[in-house]
Every structure is written in structure tokens, then in C-alpha cells.
């Protein structure tokens, strides 16, 4: 069973940058797709960025050009580099381990979440 631990959140001024990290347990990290999601108070949890086992990345429209997802399979870690942060990026950020199959995607685990707060 995979376990995920996020780090790197915090308080930053608008226009600033943060890098989130998500470390995964297990020896088959490279076979997982990994996602970053966020949830603001009173709102649903939405996908921010996702990277497949083959390192193909996709982004929510709201973060394209500002956020970059990457993975280091040797370190069992996925990153989210967040630049040009805006107050509307304020949320709890969660990473997710997922398995893509021909029949769809199965979520294997959520991390505990890390708070990102962007002040104006």
C-alpha cells in the first residue's frame, strides 16, 4: 500500500513562488500516475496538475504557464513548482497516487495535505 507525505506549503505574497513535494513509499512509484489537487474552504477538491508514469503532464487552465509538475522516480517524489502565485491559489494542496488502466483510473492514496496561503 502506498503512503504519501506532502511538504513545502506555507504563506507567500502574491507573485511569489513555492515548491511542493510529495514523497511516496513503495517500490513501484514509477508505475503510478501522480496528481496534485487543491481544495479551498467551502469548495470541492479539484485537480491542479497530473503527470503520468511516462511523465506526460496536464494542467488545469487556471494554472497553465505558472505551475509545473515533475517527478523524480529515483527519489519516489513528485513536485509542484508554483510561480506567480495569486490569492485565488490559496487552498490545501493534496497529492494523489493513481493507476491508469485500459478501464479507467484508480486512486491508490491521498496525502495528508499541505496548506498554501497567498496574501495580496
Amino acid at each position: 500500500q502506498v503512503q504519501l507525505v506532502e511538504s513545502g506549503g506555507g504563506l507567500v505574497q502574491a507573485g511569489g513562488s513555492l515548491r511542493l513535494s510529495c514523497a511516496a513509499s513503495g517500490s513501484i512509484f514509477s508505475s503510478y500516475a501522480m496528481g496534485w489537487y487543491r481544495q479551498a474552504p467551502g469548495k470541492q477538491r479539484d485537480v491542479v496538475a497530473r503527470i503520468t508514469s511516462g511523465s506526460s503532464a496536464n494542467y488545469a487552465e487556471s494554472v497553465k504557464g505558472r505551475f509545473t509538475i515533475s517527478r523524480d522516480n529515483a527519489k519516489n517524489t513528485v513536485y509542484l513548482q508554483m510561480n506567480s502565485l495569486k490569492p485565488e491559489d490559496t487552498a490545501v494542496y493534496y497529492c494523489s497516487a493513481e493507476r491508469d488502466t485500459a478501464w479507467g483510473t484508480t486512486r491508490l492514496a491521498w496525502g495528508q495535505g499541505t496548506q498554501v496561503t497567498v496574501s495580496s
Side-chain angles (χ1 to χ4, degrees):
Q1 184 164 344
V2 62
Q3 293 183 320
L4 306 173
V5 178
E6 298 113 333
S7 61
L11 173 64
V12 64
Q13 288 188 331
S17 298
L18 283 174
R19 188 176 82 154
L20 305 183
S21 300
C22 174
S25 63
S27 60
I28 55 173
F29 172 80
S30 61
S31 70
Y32 304 150
M34 299 295 296
W36 283 100
Y37 296 73
R38 66 187 180 188
Q39 188 168 21
K43 296 189 176 181
Q44 67 180 21
R45 190 175 299 185
D46 291 325
V47 62
V48 174
R50 192 174 185 272
I51 187 166
T52 68
S53 58
S55 294
S56 176
N58 288 285
Y59 299 91
E61 284 295 326
S62 60
V63 307
K64 277 184 179 177
R66 300 189 298 122
F67 290 11
T68 302
I69 189 170
S70 62
R71 65 189 300 158
D72 185 338
N73 290 337
K75 295 182 178 180
N76 281 13
T77 301
V78 63
Y79 304 97
L80 185 68
Q81 178 66 45
M82 305 186 293
N83 298 328
S84 301
L85 282 161
K86 305 175 180 179
E88 52 263 43
D89 294 318
T90 295
V92 178
Y93 284 70
Y94 299 89
C95 69
S96 169
E98 302 166 3
R99 179 171 288 125
D100 293 328
T101 71
W103 299 272
T105 296
T106 299
R107 179 163 294 106
L108 304 175
W110 287 108
Q112 83 284 0
T114 186
Q115 177 70 46
V116 171
T117 303
V118 184
S119 63
S120 57

